[in-house]
Amino acid sequence: MLKTVVCVSGGGTNLQAILDAVEDGSITNVKIEAVISNNAGAKALQRAENNGIPGILMAPKDYPDRESFNVAFTEEMCRLAPDLIVLAGFLVKIPEEMVRRFDGRIINIHPSLIPSFCGVGYYGLKVHEKVLERGVKVTGATVHFVNEGMDEGPIIAQKAVTVEEGDTPESLQHRVMEQAEWVLLPQAIDAIANGRISVQDGKVRCVRRMEEA
């Protein structure tokens, strides 16, 4: 069983998609060991409690400085010793030491087709606002391994979503979540858990394409 820790900052809809996929068998060989949030009011923590999963609050503001938080966060993750760390809408930069210690074992879901609309400042609703401002016709979501950069790690999978006439940032955000994020992330976790995808020397190695699983 792949011991997995999910990190979330907000409502946890991607977390719920993971939990539902584990429940219905779309994800196999995975056990969610804990949910970590930097936000005491995050609905994700309630979702964790509802499913009997330990919820852990770790907020940078509760530490004297960012370095202290980074050390504590990394130590807590080492204590949990997960096989996989899933960033499912986690708005905290992962400490470089944690990236090194869990190299090839951290994945992230980003609400755009990387390399478009990603990097510093592109998160949550801001991504969809920028998509609409730019006037692009197709957006989507990306699952990627995490490295020391911001949204720069090797891409695992992407799924396109059409931008529709009259879209608002909110309507586009929901469609990207429903059509892409909630589909891609469970697929990626299942593929990793069952040895179909890994990262080696900074490149994704696919034994079998996810859609063929």
Side-chain angles (χ1 to χ4, degrees), residues 1-207:
M1 297 289 282
L2 197 77
K3 292 174 55 180
T4 301
V5 171
V6 183
C7 300
V8 196
S9 291
T13 55
N14 275 306
L15 169 63
Q16 190 62 54
I18 295 167
L19 295 171
D20 291 345
V22 171
E23 178 68 22
D24 69 20
S26 300
I27 294 177
T28 59
N29 298 324
V30 167
K31 181 182 180 185
I32 309 301
E33 292 286 328
V35 171
I36 295 177
S37 183
N38 62 306
N39 177 9
K43 188 176 179 180
L45 292 174
Q46 185 61 53
R47 294 181 194 271
E49 182 179 343
N50 292 345
N51 286 270
I53 299 168
I56 300 169
L57 176 63
M58 296 206 72
K61 66 181 180 61
D62 294 334
Y63 293 81
D65 52 50
R66 194 52 176 260
E67 182 58 31
S68 299
F69 167 78
N70 286 346
V71 170
F73 189 20
T74 302
E75 288 178 348
E76 178 65 11
M77 198 64 77
C78 289
R79 182 189 70 80
L80 293 167
D83 302 307
L84 181 68
I85 300 168
V86 178
L87 310 182
F90 192 53
L91 305 182
V92 175
K93 182 172 173 58
I94 301 302
E96 290 188 6
E97 178 62 22
M98 187 186 297
V99 174
R100 286 191 291 269
R101 292 197 184 199
F102 293 91
D103 182 39
R105 290 186 284 160
I106 309 174
I107 65 172
N108 179 55
I109 181 80
H110 183 76
S112 77
L113 297 175
I114 292 174
S116 298
F117 306 103
C118 66
V120 177
Y122 285 94
Y123 60 89
L125 204 61
K126 294 180 183 295
V127 174
H128 308 292
E129 290 171 350
K130 294 298 183 183
V131 165
L132 293 176
E133 284 176 16
R134 188 68 180 86
V136 302
K137 304 306 179 186
V138 177
T139 184
T142 303
V143 180
H144 65 94
F145 285 103
V146 172
N147 61 12
E148 289 86 352
M150 184 68 74
D151 300 327
E152 296 177 1
I155 290 173
I156 298 170
Q158 295 182 303
K159 186 172 176 58
V161 174
T162 301
V163 179
E164 297 181 358
E165 188 71 28
D167 259 333
T168 64
E170 291 79 9
S171 67
L172 183 57
Q173 180 184 50
H174 184 77
R175 192 179 317 109
V176 169
M177 288 191 297
E178 186 173 49
Q179 295 183 10
E181 295 181 45
W182 300 345
V183 176
L184 282 183
L185 191 54
Q187 287 180 346
I189 293 169
D190 184 67
I192 292 168
N194 289 284
R196 297 193 301 275
I197 287 181
S198 61
V199 62
Q200 296 177 356
D201 301 321
K203 295 182 179 180
V204 173
R205 177 176 179 270
C206 298
V207 175

